[in-house]
Amino acid sequence: MKGFFKSSIGKKLIMSISGLFLILFLLFHLCMNAVVLFSECAYNSVCAFLGSNWYAVAGTVILAAGFLVHIVYAFVLTIQNRKARGTDRYDSQNLPKEVEFASKNMLVLGIIIFCGLITHFGQFWAKMMFADLIGCEEAESLSTNGAYWINYYFHECGALSIVLTVVYLIWFAALWLHLNHGFWSAFHTAGLSNKTWIPRLKCIAKWFSTIVCLGFAVIVIYAACGGIKVPQGCCKDKQAVECQQSTQTPCQQESNK
Amino acid sequence: MSENKGLNLTLKVWRQKDRHSKGQFKEYKVENISTEASFLEMVDILNEQLINTNDPDGPVAFDHDCREGICGMCSLFINGRAHGPDDAITTCQLHMRKFKDGETITIEPWRSGGFPVIKDLMVDRSAYDKIMQAGGFVSVSTGGVPDANAIPIPKADADEAMDAAACIGCGACAATCKNGSAMLFVSAKVSQLALLPQGKVEAAKRAKAMVAKMDELGFGNCTNTGACELECPKQVSISHIARLNREFLKANIKD
Ligand code: HEM
Ligand code: FES
């Protein structure tokens, strides 16, 4: 395998494997989030189960590494490809319309996804796992109350909630496009496709990206419409007690003052 | 002959003195071009005109050889597409009936890092030859022609190998690719041989050598946009790129 990862195909394989890893993560994340549609309490139990336990922290570190690799190679490959294209451009180029928009704009879509990710991290991860890790007492009572935070950001914050909902929907649209191409492309790069499987993989990619992105969008819209009720003592563990202590949102606390 | 009135066209042609000069577009008018003329015949007519009028830039240099779609020499980016507006043909198979009277036709050379312009519409495609020299062959002892049925080959494999072998190395794939990638070409050559028993012997060595050469010559990394297969005059499928990836991976795992 000497020199394999320096070769063009080797680098592409890294892109493909890291992409597939991120896809698996997305699937897991969606399953976890979808619980909130059925039971806020159950969802909070999931949050509590993960919390800042060692396995969740380890998972986060591995995930961050996955993102880092994917992003670094995205830039390395894109820069190399621009160089390979040369400096002279065609006066006009009419690519056949069959060439997918997403396939030509993977980096831009990736950057949009990354911006969404930063927003998302600031909103949820910082308030939950991170707050727990640094032992911020004020935040601790809310650090595993995922339902509270979803409701807070998408429903309780007035105009900001509307803006956040729209931002998230744009984020999911970019993700949809990225996955629509990325999904089948990753298999192709890994050599796992042929004449029969290209159309099949493209079809699966459409279904997969639609299910994943629609799933996330439904959760956000559901929350924006006020569908999420922050648990009030419906669970019997320590977590429920913490939930009870904090049924007021910071927005409400603000108006109480 | 034809009763049709010929086409009057404006040609916007890339003129470049040599590899190191800066090129530019020049406009020329050609008149009464028969719709039955081939595109290259139309360029021949333009060149006659340029010679007769003692044009300071001289005739337009362009590549061509067989003029029947088999050698891969003719190139040209015509109105924004490799080999012009028609699908699955080379420029020499393009006819003037595809154009309208009064139209302005933009004619450019391949533009890709791997194919530097030598003069006007001619580019240096020797990079593809170098990739072939690195491994696009089978080593066989010479001798009498073996019996055609001595080595049985499944029909499906033979067909797939034939489809890959249709590649004429014209360079439209890399010229169209936004990544300047030569992977469709390399994958066709690797596939064609890897599918057949005669080529399997050296398959691992070949895949590694050809990919290494392609990388060394500065071609880009395929991102599976699929533009290459849509512009390939021989409709070589990107499924061969998946096979190349497989072959390359297998070869690397082996050692
Ligand atoms: C949840 C997030 C993400 C997922 C699930 C994901 C998934 C994928 C997949 C499966 C591929 C296809 C790989 C291949 O063609 O072999 C891909 C390609 C790509 N991704 Fe991502 N990605 C994500 C985030 C990002 C981010 C944040 C960036 C950049 C800032 C990015 C940039 C790219 C680029 C440029 C490509 C094309 C690379 C190529 O084809 O060579 N992605 N992604
Ligand atoms: S001149 Fe031979 S293919 Fe066009």
Side-chain angles (χ1 to χ4, degrees):
Chain A
M1 297 291 279
K2 209 172 115 246
F4 176 73
F5 292 111
K6 287 216 176 87
S7 70
S8 55
I9 297 178
K11 277 183 265 185
K12 280 273 342 193
L13 191 69
I14 292 175
M15 205 61 205
S16 149
I17 291 171
S18 60
L20 287 174
F21 168 70
L22 295 179
I23 282 179
L24 278 180
F25 159 72
L26 272 186
L27 214 53
F28 162 74
H29 197 306
L30 175 64
C31 293
M32 190 180 77
N33 279 169
V35 173
V36 84
L37 295 176
F38 305 102
S39 157
E40 288 84 350
C41 259
Y43 178 64
N44 277 359
S45 309
V46 174
C47 296
F49 172 70
L50 292 170
S52 58
N53 291 314
W54 69 268
Y55 41 86
V57 176
T60 307
V61 171
I62 295 170
L63 180 66
F67 266 111
L68 191 71
V69 167
H70 193 75
I71 293 169
V72 167
Y73 274 82
F75 279 96
V76 168
L77 286 169
T78 308
I79 290 168
Q80 246 180 22
N81 287 346
R82 285 192 75 87
K83 227 164 59 212
R85 187 81 187 84
T87 41
D88 292 333
R89 292 300 148 104
Y90 291 111
D91 181 57
S92 68
Q93 184 168 14
N94 309 317
L95 278 179
K97 60 179 181 324
E98 290 91 336
V99 180
E100 304 162 48
F101 167 85
S103 73
K104 292 180 284 181
N105 296 287
M106 287 299 269
L107 186 68
V108 177
L109 292 168
I111 291 171
I112 298 174
I113 296 173
F114 185 74
C115 293
L117 217 61
I118 297 295
T119 314
H120 186 64
F121 252 56
Q123 287 178 284
F124 292 91
W125 182 78
K127 300 284 165 51
M128 297 175 75
M129 185 190 278
F130 187 66
D132 235 9
L133 284 175
I134 59 168
C136 166
E137 286 211 9
E138 211 177 320
E140 219 167 65
S141 62
L142 286 174
S143 70
T144 53
N145 195 344
Y148 163 80
W149 287 112
I150 301 180
N151 183 56
Y152 170 62
Y153 283 120
F154 296 111
H155 186 59
E156 294 288 336
C157 289
L160 180 66
S161 287
I162 297 170
V163 171
L164 279 175
T165 305
V166 172
V167 166
Y168 267 64
L169 293 180
I170 294 172
W171 186 30
F172 299 149
L175 187 64
W176 185 82
L177 287 164
H178 199 84
L179 290 184
N180 214 352
H181 175 71
F183 185 93
W184 79 265
S185 174
F187 284 93
H188 198 83
T189 300
L192 303 171
S193 107
N194 56 31
K195 272 195 188 120
T196 317
W197 274 91
I198 292 172
R200 286 183 189 169
L201 284 170
K202 282 187 179 177
C203 177
I204 298 172
K206 279 226 161 63
W207 278 98
F208 177 82
S209 50
T210 306
I211 290 170
V212 168
C213 297
L214 206 62
F216 283 125
V218 163
I219 296 166
V220 165
I221 293 169
Y222 179 73
C225 296
I228 292 178
K229 304 284 172 275
V230 179
Q232 304 199 15
C234 51
C235 345
K236 295 219 164 42
D237 56 6
K238 173 168 156 274
Q239 166 65 18
V241 183
E242 284 173 0
C243 296
Q244 271 179 325
Q245 290 167 351
S246 53
T247 45
Q248 275 203 326
T249 66
C251 290
Q252 288 168 336
Q253 286 162 6
E254 202 62 26
S255 56
N256 286 349
K257 276 183 199 164
Chain B
M1 250 198 26
S2 166
E3 284 171 24
N4 288 349
K5 248 187 73 204
L7 305 172
N8 296 328
L9 303 162
T10 305
L11 306 176
K12 199 173 143 196
V13 185
W14 185 258
R15 303 304 310 260
Q16 182 170 331
K17 196 158 152 267
D18 55 42
R19 198 185 273 258
H20 307 291
S21 314
K22 221 170 112 51
Q24 77 203 76
F25 280 104
K26 290 252 167 96
E27 284 199 3
Y28 304 102
K29 295 230 183 286
V30 284
E31 284 167 4
N32 205 20
I33 300 292
S34 162
T35 50
E36 271 142 57
S38 80
F39 190 87
L40 293 185
E41 281 166 344
M42 185 275 295
V43 183
D44 291 337
I45 293 169
L46 166 70
N47 274 346
E48 260 172 40
Q49 204 173 293
L50 294 176
I51 292 167
N52 291 341
T53 55
N54 283 327
D55 189 275
D57 294 322
V60 179
F62 66 100
D63 269 322
H64 60 105
D65 191 2
C66 72
R67 294 210 180 192
E68 54 183 3
I70 53 170
C71 75
M73 272 315 280
C74 57
S75 48
L76 304 190
F77 223 72
I78 301 161
N79 282 350
R81 287 190 64 188
H83 297 295
D86 225 347
D87 292 328
I89 56 161
T90 54
T91 297
C92 59
Q93 294 170 304
L94 177 66
H95 282 79
M96 293 314 293
R97 53 178 170 269
K98 288 285 163 188
F99 299 91
K100 285 196 277 307
D101 189 34
E103 194 174 336
T104 297
I105 306 175
T106 306
I107 314 174
E108 299 176 71
W110 285 169
R111 294 191 197 277
S112 194
F115 299 147
V117 175
I118 306 170
K119 183 172 165 59
D120 298 337
L121 302 173
M122 258 172 141
V123 297
D124 177 359
R125 278 175 287 184
S126 59
Y128 271 17
D129 298 332
K130 289 178 191 145
I131 296 173
M132 285 302 276
Q133 283 160 6
F137 49 80
V138 283
S139 311
V140 287
S141 311
T142 51
V145 179
D147 185 79
N149 294 321
I151 308 170
I153 297 165
K155 173 85 165 73
D157 289 355
D159 285 350
E160 184 81 355
M162 251 341 244
D163 287 348
C167 168
I168 51 176
C170 65
C173 46
T176 297
C177 177
K178 81 172 183 56
N179 307 314
S181 167
M183 292 261 288
L184 191 66
F185 166 74
V186 176
S187 72
K189 300 302 174 192
V190 164
S191 265
Q192 167 200 337
L193 299 172
L195 281 160
L196 302 175
Q198 295 90 334
K200 282 209 166 83
V201 187
E202 292 163 298
K205 204 171 111 194
R206 176 182 311 114
K208 286 174 74 175
M210 291 181 84
V211 169
K213 189 49 104 181
M214 163 185 105
D215 289 350
E216 179 198 317
L217 293 169
F219 287 102
N221 313 282
C222 169
T223 61
N224 306 323
T225 68
C228 53
E229 74 174 355
L230 294 166
E231 294 298 35
C232 173
K234 299 299 165 185
Q235 297 183 298
V236 172
S237 155
I238 56 168
S239 64
H240 297 295
I241 296 182
R243 181 176 296 101
L244 169 66
N245 295 342
R246 243 178 354 253
E247 289 290 327
F248 185 71
L249 193 60
K250 260 196 320 207
N252 274 282
I253 289 170
K254 261 190 201 157
D255 52 41

